[in-house]
Amino acid sequence: MELVNDQQQLQKHFHVLVVDDSVIDRKLLERLLRDSSCKATFLDSGDKALKYLGLLDDELENVSSTSSESLQENGMKVNMIMTDYCMPGMSGYDLLKRIKGSSWKDVPVVIMSSENVPSRITMCLEGGAEEFLLKPLQPSDLKKLQPCFLKSFDNSSEEDICAERSLSSRNDINKRNLYPQHAFKLQFLTTIVTTMLRFWNSL
């Protein structure tokens, strides 16, 4: 029961970027994700997804290496990307390759399609897709994505821990630089208290 509650809490903070040119499929996925308590952003083309992620061609030189970090600094983490395979202009496979070649490469990408083409499925999975789901999606399909939820949160947790450690380390250094005399006095007092406690315990 506690495990289920933990998973539900994780999903409440889970942000899915959905890319699909079909209004009907977007509405269906919106309902499924809402029932799973996931936050979702919906876009209708691969180009818009690249723009959202900061990966457009005219921005690649300046943004591609820091796009995920800048979005996360603004509170816009993306934990998973779900994209349709067949879309006008850029296909889901093309979008997958662009994402896996960018700073978003660790974000799980799920490909969706209404056509069951084995060679296409193999190509996407070998290209880095986490899952290949057939439309129309069912609630059971979301259960298949639970490992993606956990994988993404594990990555996010590691990043958060590293960031917290870095911030804590910088704060400690600043404190030592700004208050060296206070730090010495604190250490001196701690030594005295420790010595007194040992003395009392020995009586």
Side-chain angles (χ1 to χ4, degrees), residues 1-29:
M1 184 66 179
E2 291 182 359
L3 179 60
V4 173
N5 291 334
D6 290 342
Q7 290 179 346
Q8 289 176 347
Q9 288 298 320
L10 287 177
Q11 290 176 199
K12 286 182 180 179
H13 302 283
F14 200 87
H15 182 198
V16 182
L17 176 62
V18 179
V19 188
D20 199 320
D21 62 306
S22 169
V23 176
I24 296 176
D25 287 333
R26 288 202 305 272
K27 289 295 183 182
L28 174 60
L29 199 48

Side-chain angles (χ1 to χ4, degrees), residues 18 25-33 82 112 137:
V18 179
D25 287 333
R26 288 202 305 272
K27 289 295 183 182
L28 174 60
L29 199 48
E30 180 180 5
R31 181 176 61 81
L32 290 176
L33 291 173
M82 301 182 69
M112 305 173 291
L137 266 60

Side-chain angles (χ1 to χ4, degrees), residues 13-17 39 41 43 51-54 67-80 104 107 156:
H13 302 283
F14 200 87
H15 182 198
V16 182
L17 176 62
K39 176 185 176 182
T41 297
L43 301 173
K51 182 177 180 180
Y52 183 84
L53 298 172
S67 57
S68 61
E69 290 85 350
S70 62
L71 277 178
Q72 291 181 10
E73 287 175 359
N74 294 326
M76 297 175 64
K77 289 186 178 181
V78 175
N79 301 103
M80 183 168 65
W104 295 94
V107 176
S156 297

Side-chain angles (χ1 to χ4, degrees), residues 40-159:
T41 297
F42 294 87
L43 301 173
D44 60 8
S45 72
D47 288 331
K48 289 183 180 179
L50 291 180
K51 182 177 180 180
Y52 183 84
L53 298 172
L55 296 177
L56 283 178
D57 285 333
D58 58 351
E59 299 174 347
L60 278 177
E61 293 183 359
N62 300 322
V63 182
S64 61
S65 62
T66 59
S67 57
S68 61
E69 290 85 350
S70 62
L71 277 178
Q72 291 181 10
E73 287 175 359
N74 294 326
M76 297 175 64
K77 289 186 178 181
V78 175
N79 301 103
M80 183 168 65
I81 299 170
M82 301 182 69
T83 178
D84 185 26
Y85 181 88
C86 294
M87 295 184 292
M90 179 178 296
S91 71
Y93 179 75
D94 293 333
L95 179 59
L96 168 69
K97 298 301 289 183
R98 292 288 293 273
I99 291 170
K100 292 304 176 181
S102 74
S103 57
W104 295 94
K105 61 182 180 297
D106 294 328
V107 176
V109 178
V110 176
I111 306 292
M112 305 173 291
S113 178
S114 57
E115 299 176 336
N116 187 359
V117 182
S119 59
R120 179 183 298 173
I121 296 173
T122 300
M123 180 178 66
C124 290
L125 294 177
E126 291 180 349
E130 203 74 24
E131 280 285 351
F132 193 105
L133 302 178
L134 294 177
K135 295 181 177 182
L137 266 60
Q138 305 294 329
S140 58
D141 290 320
L142 293 186
K143 293 182 180 179
K144 298 177 183 178
L145 302 182
Q146 286 185 355
C148 298
F149 294 165
L150 299 176
K151 176 182 178 181
S152 181
F153 269 104
D154 285 342
N155 292 336
S156 297
S157 297
E158 290 177 2
E159 293 173 359

Side-chain angles (χ1 to χ4, degrees), residues 131-200:
E131 280 285 351
F132 193 105
L133 302 178
L134 294 177
K135 295 181 177 182
L137 266 60
Q138 305 294 329
S140 58
D141 290 320
L142 293 186
K143 293 182 180 179
K144 298 177 183 178
L145 302 182
Q146 286 185 355
C148 298
F149 294 165
L150 299 176
K151 176 182 178 181
S152 181
F153 269 104
D154 285 342
N155 292 336
S156 297
S157 297
E158 290 177 2
E159 293 173 359
D160 291 342
I161 291 172
C162 290
E164 289 176 2
R165 286 178 177 172
S166 177
L167 179 59
S168 176
S169 177
R170 288 198 299 269
N171 288 339
D172 289 342
I173 292 173
N174 290 336
K175 288 178 181 178
R176 287 196 295 269
N177 291 337
L178 290 174
Y179 309 109
Q181 295 181 352
H182 291 183
F184 175 79
K185 290 179 181 179
L186 180 60
Q187 183 178 4
F188 180 73
L189 290 173
T190 301
T191 302
I192 292 176
V193 172
T194 302
T195 303
M196 291 176 65
L197 288 174
R198 287 177 179 173
F199 175 75
W200 289 335

